[in-house]
Amino acid sequence: MRIYDDVQLDYCDVLLRPKRSALASRSDVDVLREYNFKWCPRTIKATGIIASNMFTTGTFEMARAMQKEHLFCAIHKHYKVEEVIRFLRKNKKEFGSNELVFISTGVSDMDYEKVNQILQTKLVANICIDVANGYSPYLLNFVRKVRTAWPKALILAGNVVTGDMCEDLILNGVDIVKVGIGPGSVCTTRKLTGVGRPQFSTVIECADAAHGVGGMICADGGCTVPGDVCKSFCAGADFVMLGGMLAGHAESGGEMTTKIFQTGEVNIIDDKHCELALVEKQYKKFYGMSSAYAQERHYGGLKKYRASEGKLVELPFRGPVEPTLLAILGGIRSCMTYIGAKRLKDMPKCSTFYRVNRQLNTIFGNE
Ligand code: 5GP
C-alpha cells in the first residue's frame, strides 16, 4: 500500500494571480482557438467548451445553442440512429458542417454497430467514447477498433485521471483524453467507491502527459462557475466539458415540474377574507448518467450487480442557455486580460496560481 504525499487540489483550492499586461480590454483577446490533432487530420476553429454527453445536456437543442457561440456538444447516446442522422443532415444545412458535434458511444458491440451506421453517412466524424472507468481494457480495445476502422475520425475518450493512462490512450489512437473521475455535480462515485482525484491536480498532470505525446485533454466535470472553466484552461485543459452549468435550461433534457410555494405574505381579498400568497416555480430534472433514475429510464432498471453512482436533483428552471454561455465566454475573456493571455492557447503559460484557504466571501450567500 502506498500513499502519495503531494497535496491534490480542486478548482476551489486555487486562485489566479493577476499580472501587468498590455491587453487593454476584453476585445483584445481571442477565445477562438485553432485545434490541430494527433490523429485526426482536420483543423477546427472553436472555443473548447463541450456540452456533456449526458441525457440532460447532450441534446440536439443544446448542440444548436452551443454551435451558435462556436462551442461543441457531445450528443448523448440514447437517441435512435435515425434521429441522429436526421439531426446531422439538418444541422449541416444550418451550420455548414457538423464539426462541432460529437456523437457518443459506450464500448459494447451494439454501440460499435451504431457508431458505424452513423459514421458511414459521412455526416460526422467526431466520436466521444465514454466509460465510467477508463482503466478498463474494454476502452483501449474499443479505441483501437474505432481508430483502425476510421483513421481520420476525431476521437475523444475517457475517463481517466492519471498521466500514464492518458499516454496509453493517445498512443492507441485517441486525440483528446477525457479526464475526471468523481468531480461531477451529480456524481457519487467518490462517496460510493472511495475512488477519484481532485480535478485541478488531475488536469495539470494529464495535460502535461498528453501534450508530451502530441495529444490533448478535455477536463470533464467539477466546474461550478465560469471561474472554474478559466482555471481549467489555465491548468492546461484544451477542452472543458460541462454538465451541471448547462443543466436546467430550456435546451436541456429532463422533465419539467411546477411547484407551488407560500410566499409568507397574505393577500387581502376584502374586509373579511384574506388568503396566503402563493407563487409557482418551475424546475427541471438533472441526473447522473449512472444514477438509479437514469438506469430506470434508459436501461430498464438498476441491475443487481451495478451500483448507482449518480444522483437526481431538481434545478430551478433557468430559461434559454445563451446568457449562461455568454457569461462563461465573458469570464474567460476577462480572465485572459487579467493574466495577459492574448490567445486561449496561451492561458497556461500566462498562469500563476495561489493556493488558497478560502476563495469566496459568502456572507450574503453563495450566489
Ligand atoms: P459537471 O459538469 O456536472 O460537474 O460534471 C459533468 C460530468 O459528470 C459528465 O460529463 C460525466 O463525466 C460525469 N457524470 C455524469 N453522470 C454521472 C454519474 O452518474 N456518475 C458519475 N460518476 N459521473 C457522472
Side-chain angles (χ1 to χ4, degrees):
M1 193 260 290
R2 238 175 110 184
I3 298 177
Y4 284 107
D5 266 342
D6 293 351
V7 178
Q8 300 291 308
L9 303 169
D10 259 316
Y11 297 129
C12 62
D13 297 317
V14 294
L15 283 169
L16 284 152
R17 176 184 186 272
K19 284 200 186 98
R20 193 182 299 127
S21 106
L23 302 170
S25 84
R26 294 175 184 203
S27 55
D28 288 343
V29 301
D30 191 2
V31 290
L32 289 176
R33 171 172 167 186
E34 224 166 69
Y35 288 94
N36 292 300
F37 307 98
K38 181 175 176 80
W39 299 94
C40 168
R42 279 173 286 143
T43 297
I44 298 178
K45 195 167 181 188
T47 305
I49 294 174
I50 310 177
S52 169
N53 54 306
M54 297 168 76
F55 181 81
T56 39
T57 51
T59 63
F60 296 149
E61 297 77 12
M62 186 65 76
R64 200 163 295 128
M66 298 295 286
Q67 290 172 97
K68 281 186 188 155
E69 304 305 328
H70 308 282
L71 309 173
F72 297 82
C73 182
I75 299 291
H76 69 70
K77 66 171 191 177
H78 301 285
Y79 285 117
K80 294 197 183 81
V81 171
E82 310 82 74
E83 289 175 313
V84 176
I85 294 174
R86 206 178 316 130
F87 162 77
L88 292 171
R89 286 212 175 97
K90 201 161 159 256
N91 194 66
K92 192 175 172 186
K93 288 196 188 105
E94 198 173 330
F95 292 98
S97 87
N98 289 313
E99 67 173 13
L100 301 183
V101 176
F102 284 85
I103 57 157
S104 304
T105 175
V107 294
S108 71
D109 290 344
M110 237 167 71
D111 289 325
Y112 186 66
E113 267 303 298
K114 216 173 146 183
V115 166
N116 277 322
Q117 282 176 28
I118 298 172
L119 292 201
Q120 271 153 12
T121 64
K122 302 263 189 279
L123 287 165
V124 73
N126 300 348
I127 312 160
C128 167
I129 307 173
D130 188 22
V131 293
N133 175 6
Y135 292 81
S136 128
Y138 294 114
L139 179 62
L140 265 183
N141 291 341
F142 195 85
V143 163
R144 286 195 204 106
K145 202 156 87 170
V146 176
R147 178 54 76 202
T148 309
W150 301 99
K152 294 184 175 177
L154 175 59
I155 301 182
L156 163 68
N159 280 26
V160 300
V161 289
T162 52
D164 53 351
M165 203 61 206
C166 288
E167 289 167 359
D168 255 16
L169 286 165
I170 292 164
L171 296 174
N172 279 282
V174 171
D175 294 286
I176 312 160
V177 182
K178 209 147 73 78
V179 305
I181 292 184
S185 56
V186 281
C187 163
T188 54
T189 295
R190 293 176 182 176
K191 242 181 170 170
L192 201 82
T193 68
V195 177
R197 185 176 186 188
Q199 188 70 348
F200 181 72
S201 294
T202 299
V203 172
I204 291 180
E205 179 183 306
C206 292
D208 189 46
H211 297 160
V213 291
M216 293 189 189
I217 65 153
C218 170
D220 176 17
C223 288
T224 57
V225 288
D228 291 343
V229 181
C230 299
K231 290 174 189 175
S232 192
F233 280 124
C234 289
D238 303 282
F239 296 84
V240 180
M241 183 171 263
L242 302 178
M245 283 181 70
L246 305 180
H249 290 93
E251 293 82 353
S252 324
E255 203 188 315
M256 287 277 279
T257 46
T258 303
K259 294 183 188 179
I260 298 171
F261 294 90
Q262 292 178 356
T263 63
E265 289 172 10
V266 174
N267 291 333
I268 309 285
I269 298 169
D270 56 37
D271 288 354
K272 290 187 185 134
H273 299 91
C274 65
E275 61 179 13
L276 290 172
L278 301 174
V279 62
E280 271 190 8
K281 286 189 185 164
Q282 287 187 303
Y283 290 81
K284 210 156 190 179
K285 285 196 165 72
F286 176 52
Y287 51 89
M289 291 310 283
S290 75
S291 61
Y293 182 82
Q295 292 188 41
E296 287 291 334
R297 242 187 118 162
H298 307 300
Y299 297 99
L302 184 64
K303 307 263 183 331
K304 255 193 185 157
Y305 61 89
R306 282 196 69 164
S308 155
E309 290 181 21
K311 61 185 173 189
L312 164 70
V313 293
E314 281 191 315
L315 307 178
F317 179 57
R318 301 174 66 189
V321 76
E322 197 196 353
T324 302
L325 299 181
L326 295 180
I328 296 170
L329 291 170
I332 297 172
R333 280 196 196 92
S334 185
C335 171
M336 290 168 77
T337 60
Y338 270 117
I339 64 171
K342 201 167 166 50
R343 301 177 307 167
L344 193 67
K345 200 182 171 186
D346 297 337
M347 289 177 89
K349 73 175 182 210
C350 297
S351 298
T352 307
F353 285 97
Y354 294 114
R355 237 185 93 190
V356 297
N357 289 322
R358 182 167 185 261
Q359 65 155 345
L360 300 174
N361 180 342
T362 54
I363 185 78
F364 297 126
N366 281 320
E367 292 303 309

